[in-house]
Amino acid sequence: MEIPGGCLCRAVRYTIGAAPILTRACWCRVCQYIGAGSSTVNACFPSAALQVSGELGDYSMVADSGNVSHRRFCPSCGTHLFSASEARPHLVFVRVGSFDDPELGRPTLTAWTASAPSWACFDARLPSTERQPPPAS
Ligand SMILES: [Zn+2]
Ligand SMILES: [Zn+2]
């Protein structure tokens, strides 16, 4: 399997040579900033399967868990592309909106519903969790 994608201005392009380990819609408060008011949809892959061309910006912060996470984006157009935790460097989460074909990133879980605003739309067909789901592995 090969999943191509990149940012809005195409300065950053990537290919992922693996199927997603899992795909989630995340309504945590941080994702609402990145998602402009909605959730983000993120697919998790082995880091080794991701190949990137182009320069990335990196915003790092300490998560509630105490782990440092990095959010990487195109410094030219601002599209958020990847996130990763220093505690799990073998995994990368890719923003599904940056896939060339977002159909490949159908979420299977809705996370952090407790942080969502009252007007949020959840997919009733999906299982959900009020807070952080268990780690991908
Ligand atoms: Zn860009
Ligand atoms: Zn989130």
Side-chain angles (χ1 to χ4, degrees):
M1 181 155 195
E2 189 152 284
I3 299 175
C7 68
L8 181 61
C9 77
R10 301 183 72 86
V12 180
R13 294 290 298 164
Y14 63 77
T15 52
I16 309 161
I21 297 167
L22 56 80
T23 307
R24 296 170 177 156
C26 183
W27 281 92
C28 82
R29 194 65 188 91
V30 174
C31 282
Q32 292 175 50
Y33 283 88
I34 297 167
S38 190
S39 65
T40 63
V41 181
N42 308 287
C44 179
F45 297 92
S47 308
L50 174 66
Q51 283 195 301
V52 182
S53 66
E55 184 194 346
L56 291 170
D58 181 347
Y59 178 69
S60 66
M61 62 184 283
V62 180
D64 292 342
S65 61
N67 298 321
V68 176
S69 64
H70 294 264
R71 292 179 175 78
R72 296 190 169 94
F73 51 90
C74 172
S76 175
C77 71
T79 303
H80 273 258
L81 297 165
F82 313 117
S83 68
S85 170
E86 288 186 1
R88 294 186 182 78
H90 57 291
L91 298 177
V92 62
F93 288 81
V94 181
R95 312 297 184 190
V96 165
S98 69
F99 286 6
D100 287 353
D101 182 5
E103 280 294 335
L104 299 176
R106 179 184 293 274
T108 58
L109 177 79
T110 306
W112 282 103
T113 58
S115 297
S118 61
W119 45 259
C121 294
F122 303 129
D123 187 336
R125 297 167 296 182
L126 297 183
S128 65
T129 172
E130 285 191 2
R131 300 182 192 285
Q132 181 73 27
S137 61

